[in-house]
Amino acid sequence: MRLMFCLFLFWTCPGSESKIPTNIRCLIINLEYVNCTWDEEGILQENYTFRSRFEKHAEKECPTYLKANNVNVGCILPYSEKDMQRFEILHACVFRHDGSVVIDYHHKMTNMVKLDPPYNLTVKFRDPELWLYWNTSSRAKSSCKESQVRYRTNGKEWRTQHMNIERNSFNVPYPSNRSMYEFQVRVRMSSNCGQSKIWSEWSNLLGWSSQKNTNDTVTLATSMAMMTMYLAGAAVLLITLSCLLMHSERLRVILVPVVPSPKNLGDLIERYDGNVENWLCISKELQDGFKPNFTERPCPVREYRLVSQASTQGSDSVLSSPTLAPDYQLMHSYSASTLPVSRETTQAPPPATTRTGQ
Amino acid sequence: MRTTSLCVLCVLLAMVCWVETMTAVDKTNHFRSTIKQAMELTKKVKQNDTFLSSPTNDIEDCCAQSALQCFSSQLLKIPTTYKTLLRKLNKNLSKSVIVESVGNCSRKERAKVICKSCDSYPMVDNKEFLKNLLSFLQKAFSRLP
């Protein structure tokens, strides 16, 4: 009974029995090497050996083991794309330490290629389309690769687009100005060269938002700053003008003239004897300031009148010549100045003289 | 006179470059369309009891063109309703663009090698035959520069 109970425990307890691998999984990584593993079922406790060969080659033991807890769990095999080894069948076996076969594997590797993810994602906005570009590993030629793009707006669900072979670009027509876009790309071998069942890992995430949004934000900030500057300037100007007004009487009188109250107009006229300047209470200095303190010399201006030749007989002047213009007679002589004329200027002007040609 | 000769030489050179470029592009496009036809046929044709001689991956060096001829000769034996597609594929397989692309040996090297006859290849069903043909074409395309 006790023995049965122990056997039952031994059978049900998961950690007590050594796991035996039942499957080998091999992938060609980026057309550089082959990665085979046999620890899918769980942690292995026994050390196994691995031997393999491609169709046209001799069988060899694994050159580089992958280990976990000091136990062989996988193998890295060399691969040659030049020999097109992926079109050959890979024969592989996992052996126990006593040489017995645990698993054997015979698989054509054409569809078992996993490429490295795309890199160097860039986005360019060419009105009215948003273009995404990327690079892929150069191990496989471009006509042998096909890409898949997925993108989402504002963190919503992903939308997937399958790209044609050889294309390393994708576009979103008329992208929204108010949305945030996120892009990812992955790649695999295309049907032209033996389509792979396995896609690469997704590339790094690339985000993009409208340039116009960014510009609007910048413009608004700039406007606010300018507005603040204008207000500050206006306040400073106001304060400055206020100070000037308080200290400069002349400026105050000009800008803010005193307007007498018309209530007691009659009394004002009697008191100041009609002198308006006294009403305004302008200081004497300011009054004198408006009076001119210079004199202007008057410029005499004479007016001439046309006189006929008959009135100038016997004259030797050139003017008697029939070719010359008729003589002029002084009409008036007056000063052009509007200021009070001094005694000098009021004297009679000298008689008009004409030059005679001799 | 010298200028005219130089101009004629330049024009001839440009023409040769253009022809070479167009040939390379045509070769790639032609191959792609042939692979596409083979894929389509592989998907559409149902498996049946017809067995055909099919070269596999263990084709000897410099025997690729001989293998292609074998594929081409067996193709029309496949019973299917997609006869037009079958004929188009068969026609493309015999074109020089494909024939020259699958081989990786010179004429002299090919002359020295004795390749297997078509009958000596293993017999497989029509589905397996088309898969082998597709794989053969994909391998040849991968080799193209």
Side-chain angles (χ1 to χ4, degrees):
Chain A
M1 192 62 188
R2 279 184 189 175
L3 186 64
M4 291 289 285
F5 183 69
C6 287
L7 280 172
F8 176 75
L9 280 177
F10 183 73
W11 181 62
T12 53
C13 277
S16 59
E17 191 180 345
S18 174
K19 291 273 182 205
I20 298 171
T22 56
N23 190 28
I24 300 175
R25 189 168 182 256
C26 293
L27 287 176
I28 299 173
I29 305 298
N30 204 38
L31 302 178
E32 293 175 9
Y33 60 92
V34 181
N35 185 343
C36 292
T37 53
W38 51 85
D39 64 337
E40 273 182 359
E41 284 76 24
I43 299 168
L44 301 175
Q45 292 182 353
E46 194 178 335
N47 226 359
Y48 299 96
T49 53
F50 180 84
R51 297 182 71 86
S52 65
R53 67 177 182 91
F54 275 105
E55 235 168 311
K56 294 178 184 176
H57 296 82
E59 188 178 279
K60 285 180 187 175
E61 190 174 341
C62 175
T64 310
Y65 280 103
L66 297 170
K67 289 183 184 289
N69 297 326
N70 220 23
V71 168
N72 294 337
V73 295
C75 176
I76 302 290
L77 296 167
Y79 171 79
S80 171
E81 174 64 10
K82 189 183 169 188
D83 294 337
M84 296 284 158
Q85 283 182 328
R86 58 193 171 92
F87 289 97
E88 298 175 19
I89 296 173
L90 174 66
H91 303 276
C93 283
V94 170
F95 298 92
R96 274 208 186 91
H97 64 276
D98 59 2
S100 58
V101 176
V102 179
I103 330 160
D104 62 352
Y105 175 93
H106 310 279
H107 215 286
K108 197 168 183 181
M109 300 299 287
T110 313
N111 310 119
M112 306 303 288
V113 178
K114 184 176 180 181
L115 298 175
D116 283 348
Y119 61 95
N120 201 19
L121 268 65
T122 51
V123 168
K124 282 183 186 171
F125 181 70
R126 290 181 187 166
D127 206 10
E129 292 166 328
L130 181 65
W131 283 88
L132 172 72
Y133 301 96
W134 61 89
N135 293 113
T136 52
S137 167
S138 59
R139 279 271 173 175
K141 60 182 190 180
S142 54
S143 55
C144 285
K145 289 180 281 191
E146 59 186 10
S147 304
Q148 192 177 61
V149 176
R150 69 175 185 181
Y151 70 98
R152 62 183 178 186
T153 53
N154 298 327
K156 291 177 186 170
E157 283 179 9
W158 288 103
R159 286 185 232 179
T160 306
Q161 294 280 347
H162 202 105
M163 303 313 301
N164 289 335
I165 292 161
E166 279 190 89
R167 270 188 75 180
N168 278 17
S169 60
F170 170 74
N171 75 311
V172 177
Y174 299 100
S176 169
N177 290 335
R178 289 172 236 154
S179 297
M180 168 77 176
Y181 288 84
E182 290 173 302
F183 298 94
Q184 278 187 306
V185 188
R186 62 181 183 179
V187 69
R188 69 175 178 184
M189 296 295 287
S190 69
S191 54
N192 287 336
C193 304
Q195 192 175 68
S196 178
K197 288 179 187 173
I198 301 148
W199 286 96
S200 71
E201 298 297 327
W202 286 107
S203 67
N204 290 334
L205 197 67
L206 177 70
W208 180 89
S209 63
S210 169
Q211 190 68 19
K212 195 179 173 185
N213 271 345
T214 313
N215 276 346
D216 281 348
T217 310
V218 169
T219 308
L220 188 64
T222 311
S223 302
M224 291 297 290
M226 293 296 285
M227 187 79 79
T228 311
M229 275 176 62
Y230 292 146
L231 284 172
V236 166
L237 189 66
L238 199 65
I239 293 166
T240 310
L241 276 176
S242 304
C243 292
L244 279 172
L245 276 173
M246 282 168 65
H247 290 98
S248 173
E249 190 182 346
R250 188 181 180 122
L251 196 63
R252 191 172 66 235
V253 164
I254 292 168
L255 292 177
V256 188
V258 175
V259 179
S261 172
K263 276 185 186 175
N264 302 318
L265 197 61
D267 294 338
L268 281 171
I269 291 170
E270 280 181 27
R271 196 193 298 177
Y272 293 102
D273 200 22
N275 194 344
V276 176
E277 289 172 355
N278 288 340
W279 287 358
L280 296 177
C281 303
I282 299 173
S283 61
K284 199 174 183 325
E285 292 80 17
L286 192 60
Q287 284 182 31
D288 292 339
F290 282 104
K291 289 178 186 170
N293 55 359
F294 61 92
T295 55
E296 188 179 316
R297 193 173 171 180
C299 173
V301 175
R302 293 172 189 165
E303 189 179 327
Y304 293 89
R305 183 175 60 116
L306 288 172
V307 177
S308 63
Q309 275 189 345
S311 60
T312 55
Q313 293 175 356
S315 168
D316 289 358
S317 69
V318 172
L319 292 173
S320 62
S321 167
T323 60
L324 293 174
D327 195 5
Y328 289 89
Q329 187 178 34
L330 180 64
M331 288 292 291
H332 294 291
S333 157
Y334 57 88
S335 168
S337 172
T338 55
L339 294 171
V341 178
S342 62
R343 282 190 180 175
E344 296 173 355
T345 56
T346 50
Q347 284 177 359
T353 55
T354 56
R355 290 184 68 180
T356 58
Q358 292 183 351
Chain B
M1 186 62 190
R2 193 182 288 179
T3 314
T4 313
S5 311
L6 278 171
C7 285
V8 168
L9 269 173
C10 285
V11 167
L12 284 170
L13 191 63
M15 279 175 65
V16 166
C17 288
W18 182 78
V19 166
E20 286 295 317
T21 313
M22 291 308 290
T23 309
V25 168
D26 280 345
K27 193 189 284 186
T28 310
N29 288 340
H30 199 82
F31 230 116
R32 278 198 201 135
S33 68
T34 308
I35 290 172
K36 201 175 171 184
Q37 285 166 356
M39 272 177 63
E40 211 177 318
L41 212 54
T42 309
K43 284 177 192 170
K44 286 178 177 175
V45 166
K46 290 177 186 174
Q47 194 170 13
N48 57 30
D49 296 333
T50 309
F51 284 85
L52 308 156
S53 296
S54 168
T56 52
N57 281 320
D58 56 345
I59 299 166
E60 295 94 349
D61 291 340
C62 305
C63 288
Q65 288 181 350
S66 165
L68 180 66
Q69 261 181 333
C70 182
F71 276 119
S72 191
S73 67
Q74 301 287 296
L75 194 61
L76 291 175
K77 294 180 185 176
I78 297 175
T80 177
T81 52
Y82 302 97
K83 289 284 183 193
T84 314
L85 185 58
L86 203 66
R87 273 190 233 112
K88 275 185 186 175
L89 177 59
N90 194 44
K91 192 179 173 185
N92 280 338
L93 290 179
S94 57
K95 285 192 178 172
S96 59
V97 169
I98 302 289
V99 173
E100 284 165 18
S101 299
V102 299
N104 54 349
C105 297
S106 63
R107 270 191 190 178
K108 280 184 183 177
E109 285 168 329
R110 274 188 269 134
K112 290 176 189 175
V113 172
I114 299 170
C115 300
K116 274 187 191 176
S117 66
C118 194
D119 298 333
S120 57
Y121 285 115
M123 301 290 279
V124 298
D125 61 40
N126 56 339
K127 205 85 171 167
E128 194 65 27
F129 174 86
L130 288 168
K131 281 181 186 174
N132 288 342
L133 171 60
L134 181 61
S135 181
F136 177 81
L137 292 171
Q138 287 169 340
K139 190 175 175 180
F141 183 84
S142 299
R143 278 214 182 94
L144 288 179

